[in-house]
Amino acid sequence: MSEPGTYVEKSFKRDTNYITTRITADGRDGFPVEAGRYRLVVSRACPWANRAIIVRRLLGLEDALSMGICGPTHDKRSWTFDLDPGGVDPVLQIPRIQDAYLKRDPDYPRGITVPAMVDLTTGAVVTNDFKQITVDLETQWRDLHRDGAPDLYPDALADEIESVSEPIYRFVNNGVYRCGFAGTQEAYDKAYRRLWEHLDLLEERLSTRRYLVGDHITEADVRLFTTLARFDPVYHGHFKCNRNKLSEMGALWGYARDLFQTPGFGDTIDFTHIKQHYYIVHTDINPTGVVPVGPALENWATPHGREELGGSPFGDGTPPGPPREIVPPEHNPVLALLAG
């Protein structure tokens, strides 16, 4: 699932016991980087998987790393490949990602999550450690990056990226879930307060700088963006994160639009899948399963004016080419507006 976890004193605690095997340039864990050997399995609905989709696209890894896309909803067992003909992934030849986890460990005891990297030679999951997956794509897969790929994890900025990202993960990325799945008023109030305290800090930080770290896009921006893209459509109402909308925050809203309008970010967003996932799967929060029609999305295409802060999206690099895997136009009508 996208949010496996438990309730501790009626507050949400995410299960972070991931498979930590890594795919590296030197193959230290037995899985060397190799073009065509692995398949990245994602769902466009999931913010953690969305990170990997963005990074793969920005780095131009489409030819080296194929991608399987699960549907927006899942049952108690796992995500399923219901978007593919016959409900079977055309490369892995399985109907659900759980099958690849069980190929790795027939008694696999933990959450069946996306993103997951699957070894095509065995059909088994190598890792589902979403944070390490993107960092390794950025650092271990460099020989397979496209010409002009941006450096999303510069060695000189690695410590700052992680120091900025840690509270973003704790209070924002995961904080919205702590609000949404709170089992008591006290747990909700605490999560809500911490979420907005940190969003206010980010508002202040981004009022004087275009990106979170350095003068071009880094891993830190990818990590924050996928939460911001889901904020007004889902987290504001469904997760009760409703002090105000993202679109009512000057710097954060401008920052989010700046990234959305950058090739590799907004063109990975499937608003239909996002809303279907949260409103249909979370029956404890939304027992009717009714998916809201709104909010209106046209405002994502409005000018952001962030260029005045300096910097450039790709540093010394170049934008990625057109996306290989297309989000259906009706699932993201903003893209047509941006195209003109």
Side-chain angles (χ1 to χ4, degrees):
M1 316 305 175
S2 65
E3 55 281 331
T6 57
Y7 294 90
V8 178
E9 297 179 353
K10 299 295 183 178
S11 63
F12 178 73
K13 181 176 176 60
R14 184 173 299 279
D15 179 2
T16 57
N17 291 315
Y18 299 106
I19 301 173
T20 57
T21 307
R22 293 175 60 191
I23 300 170
T24 58
D26 62 6
R28 70 194 72 164
D29 288 351
F31 295 95
V33 171
E34 183 181 331
R37 176 171 172 177
Y38 306 98
R39 186 160 175 82
L40 172 65
V41 176
V42 300
S43 168
R44 292 194 186 276
C46 172
W48 321 102
N50 198 172
R51 297 179 178 190
I53 298 172
I54 292 170
V55 168
R56 171 180 174 268
R57 172 148 160 60
L58 291 177
L59 299 179
L61 289 169
E62 292 93 337
D63 289 333
L65 177 64
S66 67
M67 185 168 74
I69 304 176
C70 297
T73 61
H74 55 67
D75 55 25
K76 292 182 178 180
R77 289 176 59 192
S78 83
W79 298 87
T80 54
F81 293 103
D82 49 289
L83 303 177
D84 293 306
V88 173
D89 180 85
V91 174
L92 298 174
Q93 292 297 306
I94 55 176
R96 54 179 63 236
I97 187 58
Q98 182 188 42
D99 296 336
Y101 278 84
L102 297 180
K103 200 74 175 283
R104 161 105 184 204
D105 178 359
D107 299 312
Y108 184 75
R110 301 193 290 270
I112 307 295
T113 63
V114 291
M117 295 282 272
V118 180
D119 182 2
L120 297 183
T121 66
T122 63
V125 167
V126 177
T127 179
N128 65 339
D129 188 344
F130 69 90
K131 178 182 174 182
Q132 194 63 54
I133 285 173
T134 54
V135 172
D136 282 345
L137 289 177
E138 293 155 355
T139 59
Q140 300 297 315
W141 290 63
R142 279 181 172 148
D143 287 348
L144 296 175
H145 291 181
R146 66 178 175 87
D147 291 339
D151 189 352
L152 299 177
Y153 204 81
D155 293 340
L157 297 178
D159 289 344
E160 186 178 358
I161 288 171
E162 293 303 332
S163 66
V164 168
S165 296
E166 193 281 329
I168 289 175
Y169 169 76
R170 191 161 18 123
F171 301 127
V172 180
N173 301 143
N174 200 40
V176 293
Y177 285 88
R178 287 184 174 275
C179 290
F181 289 109
T184 67
Q185 189 69 48
E186 180 181 7
Y188 167 75
D189 289 349
K190 182 178 180 181
Y192 179 95
R193 183 176 64 255
R194 288 180 169 177
L195 167 67
W196 284 106
E197 285 173 351
H198 203 72
L199 286 175
D200 285 340
L201 290 173
L202 290 170
E203 175 77 6
E204 181 179 358
R205 182 182 183 92
L206 290 167
S207 66
T208 57
R209 55 193 306 156
R210 189 171 180 184
Y211 304 109
L212 284 170
V213 178
D215 60 2
H216 64 82
I217 291 163
T218 68
E219 167 76 10
D221 300 299
V222 176
R223 293 176 184 179
L224 178 56
F225 172 76
T226 59
T227 294
L228 297 183
R230 288 158 176 77
F231 199 89
D232 287 2
V234 175
Y235 303 145
H236 177 270
H238 183 62
F239 277 176
K240 307 181 185 70
C241 302
N242 59 354
R243 191 191 76 180
N244 48 262
K245 296 177 181 176
L246 175 67
S247 58
E248 295 167 346
M249 300 192 72
L252 271 168
W253 176 228
Y255 167 81
R257 280 178 292 150
D258 188 1
L259 292 178
F260 190 97
Q261 295 171 28
T262 299
F265 283 84
D267 53 35
T268 71
I269 298 297
D270 189 317
F271 287 112
T272 297
H273 279 194
I274 288 168
K275 290 195 295 183
Q276 287 177 344
H277 170 71
Y278 286 92
Y279 285 100
I280 293 174
V281 171
H282 298 161
T283 54
D284 48 346
I285 299 176
N286 186 43
T288 65
V290 172
V291 180
V293 175
L297 301 169
E298 292 82 0
N299 53 0
W300 280 99
T302 57
H304 52 76
R306 300 280 294 177
E307 302 92 340
E308 297 178 1
L309 294 172
S312 60
F314 303 105
D316 295 331
T318 59
R324 305 278 188 90
E325 299 90 1
I326 305 295
V327 175
E330 64 273 19
H331 291 196
N332 188 340
V334 187
L335 299 180
L337 294 175
L338 292 173

